[in-house]
Amino acid sequence: MRVFDTGNAPKTDPVFAHAVAMAALRSPKPRVLAFAKEVVALPLLADRRDELSLRRVRTVNRLHRLLTELISGGAEKNLSPTVP
């Protein structure tokens, strides 16, 4: 089980599920776990954050590309939403 705890092995494959089941069967006092609502929501929030980050990067890149076409000599590399 320690191999799967390093963070390098995939934890959603059937081999891992089998190893967890075998460890639970061999344990003298297996613990019963319940899902907390926060734990269930966390991956959803992380996925949403990733989507928003990608959308922002795409928007800034698109804006920069358009500005390089409109401004002679190109646009600044460090774009900011604030107006100087």
Side-chain angles (χ1 to χ4, degrees):
M1 291 308 299
R2 299 291 294 167
V3 172
F4 295 107
D5 193 36
T6 61
N8 296 328
K11 297 184 177 47
T12 56
D13 62 352
V15 175
F16 180 71
H18 183 268
V20 170
M22 294 306 294
L25 288 173
R26 293 182 180 142
S27 177
K29 277 184 145 181
R31 294 185 296 166
V32 177
L33 301 176
F35 286 107
K37 291 179 184 178
E38 296 83 9
V39 175
V40 173
L42 190 59
L44 298 174
L45 292 173
D47 288 344
R48 180 64 178 151
R49 180 181 178 272
D50 290 343
E51 290 172 8
L52 291 174
S53 297
L54 287 173
R55 182 176 291 179
R56 180 187 179 280
V57 169
R58 285 189 197 120
T59 302
V60 170
N61 288 342
R62 182 176 181 198
L63 177 61
H64 188 264
R65 188 184 73 236
L66 292 172
L67 287 175
T68 56
E69 294 175 5
L70 295 173
I71 300 172
S72 61
E76 293 184 25
K77 289 187 179 184
N78 296 325
L79 294 178
S80 172
T82 60
V83 178

